Amino acid sequence: MHDKNLNEKINKAVQLIKSSDKIVIFTGAGISTNCGIPDFRGENGIYNMVKKKYNLPYPEAVFDISYFEHDPHPFYDLTKELFKSDIQPSLSHKFIAWLEEKGKTINVVTQNIDMLHTKAGSKNVIECHGTYLTAHCLKCGKKFEINSFEDKLKKGEIPLCICSGIIKPDVVFFGEMLPDKFYIAYHNPPEADLVIVMGSSLMVQPAAGFALMLANKINSMIINNEPTVYDKIFDLVVNMDIDEFSSAVWEKLKKNNKF
Ligand code: OAD
């Protein structure tokens, strides 16, 4: 635990959650690091790793559409690593699903492509950086479902369409549009009393802008194990491990019959 006044902050988080019926939860890679998936910008993050492993002009090139069209190998090699183990939701993913189960209206907007919110049971999830569940051919545009290309991804091979074009999973790359669902939510946000940011550096737009826009209007908190440049906007900032936070808040909420 990194933060001072932690007990006080946990109590404030509990109060904010208890008094809010409608909550938007915005998540980033930090909510999945305890599941074994590295984040992007942390010390052991993907960008430090790919910088050393592949000969990239800059680390983000691994997810840049122009670089992908020039050399797709780093992306498929990295994907093979992500598909290696059977990754399960963290305590925090489950906590979010539990809040919904208990009657809160929860809208999750995640930058993550690991599908763990859905796996944990959350129903209203916008995967604003796309998903591996579908893909399309970069040459003819044909659409594919994951079962038709997953084997290739697991082997680190590049799936090809019958037209010889590369089949690219529908994860959003730098230089690509986010899914329509995200822009609809951005321009017409779900009604909410509270926005909670969990495990994101808030460095990537337009996704981060969605959370910040809400944080400027309604009650807000951010839980991240290090400060972000936007902390001042939030009513409550908690710097600690996300699962330690969720576990502490969950324990306290469980003791309340009605919340
Ligand atoms: P980042 O790696 O930028 O930020 C993750 C944050 O989570 C960091 O500030 C970590 O300190 C924090 N963190 C890591 N593990 C944690 C833990 N167990 N508990 C609490 N905090 C923890 O990841 P994102 O903000 O998700 O986009 O990055 C946003 C986007 O940048 C990604 O969706 C991806 C990337 O480029 C694309 O590829 C388009």
Side-chain angles (χ1 to χ4, degrees):
M1 294 198 184
H2 306 240
D3 217 320
K4 291 182 201 148
N5 314 321
L6 215 44
N7 269 341
E8 215 176 282
K9 289 188 174 191
I10 297 287
N11 287 338
K12 183 161 181 200
V14 169
Q15 281 315 316
L16 279 170
I17 293 173
K18 272 173 70 174
S19 60
S20 307
D21 290 330
K22 300 179 184 112
I23 306 175
V24 169
I25 299 185
F26 180 84
T27 65
I31 197 173
S32 299
T33 52
N34 292 330
C35 311
I37 305 172
D39 63 10
F40 292 92
R41 295 173 182 80
E43 209 176 299
N44 301 314
I46 288 178
Y47 290 145
N48 268 335
M49 191 261 285
V50 295
K51 206 160 63 180
K52 290 178 202 150
K53 194 166 178 189
Y54 310 110
N55 188 22
L56 297 170
Y58 53 96
E60 289 88 347
V62 69
F63 297 116
D64 188 306
I65 194 66
S66 322
Y67 188 82
F68 181 86
E69 281 159 0
H70 157 76
D71 181 8
H73 291 94
F75 169 73
Y76 288 105
D77 196 51
L78 183 67
T79 295
K80 180 182 74 180
E81 296 302 316
L82 297 179
F83 269 71
K84 247 182 190 167
S85 51
D86 178 28
I87 290 161
Q88 294 302 321
S90 66
L91 185 139
S92 298
H93 292 106
K94 291 177 192 160
F95 170 59
I96 295 167
W98 178 81
L99 287 174
E100 193 175 356
E101 219 180 279
K102 289 289 169 194
K104 302 276 184 197
T105 301
I106 304 287
N107 280 286
V108 178
V109 177
T110 185
Q111 298 165 97
N112 301 341
I113 53 178
D114 52 32
M115 298 167 284
L116 290 176
H117 284 293
T118 309
K119 210 166 180 176
S122 285
K123 297 195 179 63
N124 306 315
V125 183
I126 296 181
E127 284 151 334
C128 67
H129 286 165
T131 160
Y132 275 101
L133 286 178
T134 57
H136 67 280
C137 169
L138 287 185
K139 197 166 163 191
C140 71
K142 187 170 183 233
K143 293 185 191 317
F144 296 86
E145 298 290 325
I146 188 164
N147 53 5
S148 64
F149 59 87
E150 191 175 6
D151 279 354
K152 296 264 181 202
L153 296 186
K154 284 182 173 160
K155 290 185 204 152
E157 292 172 12
I158 299 179
L160 294 177
C161 180
I162 45 171
C163 78
S164 83
I166 292 178
I167 298 172
K168 179 191 160 292
D170 292 334
V171 298
V172 176
F173 276 34
F174 292 108
E176 289 187 312
M177 294 288 281
L178 278 62
D180 289 347
K181 261 175 115 177
F182 171 78
Y183 292 106
I184 292 167
Y186 194 106
H187 294 295
N188 194 8
E191 225 181 282
D193 319 301
L194 172 67
V195 57
I196 309 178
V197 174
M198 296 170 113
S200 177
S201 64
L202 296 174
M203 294 297 281
V204 174
Q205 299 293 348
F210 171 78
L212 296 170
M213 166 191 66
L214 288 181
N216 270 315
K217 286 191 205 159
I218 56 177
N219 287 336
S220 61
M221 60 172 122
I222 178 164
I223 304 96
N224 205 54
N225 61 14
E226 60 186 357
T228 74
V229 290
Y230 298 107
D231 285 354
K232 280 203 181 93
I233 295 178
F234 292 85
D235 300 310
L236 176 64
V237 178
V238 190
N239 289 137
M240 72 185 288
D241 179 85
I242 195 71
D243 286 343
E244 287 180 25
F245 168 85
S246 299
S247 168
V249 172
W250 201 347
E251 275 307 305
K252 293 199 179 221
L253 286 174
K254 271 186 202 160
K255 288 187 186 138
N256 288 266
N257 290 331
K258 195 169 172 286
F259 70 89

